[in-house]
Amino acid sequence: PVAISVLLPALYIPIIAMLMGLIFRGVAVEFRERAPTRRQRHLWDAGFLGGSVLAAFCQGALLGAVMQGIKIAPGPFGGRFGGYPFSWLSWFSVYTGIALVFGYGLLGATWLIWRTEGDLQNRMRRWAAILCVVQIAFMVGVSFWTPFLNHHYMHRWFTWPAAIVTTLAPFGVLGAVALFYFFLWKRKDNPKYDMMPFLCAGALFVIAYAGVGFSLYPIILPPSLTIWNASSPPMTEEFILIGDAIFIPILLGYNTFAWWIFRGKARDEPFGD
């Protein structure tokens, strides 16, 4: 609760912009289907693209803003936001915002490789090959930049025994990239491997976000708010745990069912009886 009470006022602008982008995506899909002319359909296509880019950029900027730290002033419940409406905006948050736009582009391209075929799939293979290089370049840039944001990150990355994780992480990235290009080109004629580039791209995201969690722990809101002094009372946590134990399996089951229903390639064919 303390982290949320500090975080939301600090990030109102990018959060609202992200929500506007997500709303515009949904609106663009609906209105495009009803557009009477090709020109209007192209306009709604551009709206969908703009909303997607805005939402992705804001998500990346939010992550960068959290990583660089939020100014916390004394408050009645452990702290309050002590900065300005645009304190979140920095070169680092802009950099991470752009990085996530390209990262989502990579995931989208590999998803289409998995779910389509023919000319579209071939074009997505070419785009995925380029976007993977761009994404690795951004990951390297963030990795070199992060230790200089906060002394805690520097200490966390380069002191024993935590430095073991820092040393092994690049090998995980190289392994994911090697598998990515292997399945992207060497196994491109075998449809059963079409899913693998998407999984390898997802592995890059898992490694990146695991690195974020590793860098922050036990801090939940840099520079100083830890999970221990920001947590709810034990009774509240127990109540939430019970709710999670009930509803998370239901959500996982529903999403698994939805994925199963829409499995396979997307083809321009009529539904059977």
Side-chain angles (χ1 to χ4, degrees):
V2 177
I4 290 295
S5 67
V6 174
L7 196 63
L8 288 182
L11 302 176
Y12 272 142
I13 292 176
I15 289 175
I16 292 173
M18 179 186 69
L19 294 176
M20 293 294 290
L22 293 173
I23 292 171
F24 209 82
R25 277 166 46 94
V27 170
V29 171
E30 294 296 328
F31 277 82
R32 185 191 187 280
E33 295 299 318
R34 292 161 174 79
T37 65
R38 181 186 297 271
R39 181 175 180 275
Q40 291 184 16
R41 287 196 294 272
H42 287 332
L43 287 175
W44 287 115
D45 287 341
F48 183 85
L49 173 63
S52 301
V53 171
L54 178 62
F57 174 81
C58 289
Q59 288 181 23
L62 288 168
L63 177 62
V66 171
M67 289 293 293
Q68 71 187 9
I70 305 294
K71 185 177 181 180
I72 304 174
F77 300 104
R80 61 179 179 82
F81 175 53
Y84 302 97
F86 285 94
S87 296
W88 61 273
L89 186 61
S90 67
W91 288 112
F92 183 73
S93 64
V94 171
Y95 187 86
T96 54
I98 296 173
L100 197 61
V101 171
F102 283 97
Y104 282 171
L106 174 63
L107 288 178
T110 53
W111 172 264
L112 290 174
I113 291 170
W114 179 16
R115 302 305 297 273
T116 64
E117 54 190 8
D119 180 63
L120 177 59
Q121 186 189 64
N122 291 329
R123 284 192 287 125
M124 289 303 104
R125 287 186 187 278
R126 293 191 291 271
W127 273 108
I130 297 171
L131 288 170
C132 185
V133 174
V134 175
Q135 184 64 15
I136 293 302
F138 274 111
M139 289 179 67
V140 171
V142 171
S143 298
F144 277 105
W145 202 332
T146 298
F148 298 98
L149 295 175
N150 190 317
H151 176 72
H152 171 80
Y153 303 151
M154 184 75 72
H155 178 79
R156 184 81 170 146
W157 282 31
F158 300 111
T159 57
W160 184 265
I164 297 176
V165 178
T166 310
T167 305
L168 293 177
F171 292 99
V173 172
L174 289 175
V177 172
L179 289 174
F180 175 85
Y181 282 104
F182 175 78
F183 287 110
L184 186 68
W185 295 119
K186 296 294 184 181
R187 292 290 184 266
K188 67 178 182 178
D189 296 325
N190 193 333
K192 72 177 183 179
Y193 294 115
D194 287 348
M195 179 177 64
M196 296 308 298
F198 177 74
L199 295 181
C200 292
L204 291 176
F205 271 76
V206 170
I207 293 171
Y209 284 113
V212 171
F214 173 78
S215 301
L216 286 173
Y217 184 83
I219 293 174
I220 191 172
L221 192 60
S224 59
L225 193 61
T226 68
I227 58 175
W228 313 117
N229 55 30
S231 63
S232 302
M235 184 175 295
T236 302
E237 294 176 349
E238 292 172 3
F239 179 79
I240 294 174
L241 178 62
I242 295 172
D244 288 344
I246 296 172
F247 289 105
I248 287 181
I250 296 175
L251 292 173
L252 291 175
Y254 163 77
N255 281 278
T256 301
F257 178 71
W259 274 64
W260 176 256
I261 290 296
F262 292 100
R263 67 191 182 278
K265 297 287 187 179
R267 297 183 174 92
D268 188 15
E269 298 175 354
F271 288 106
D273 294 333

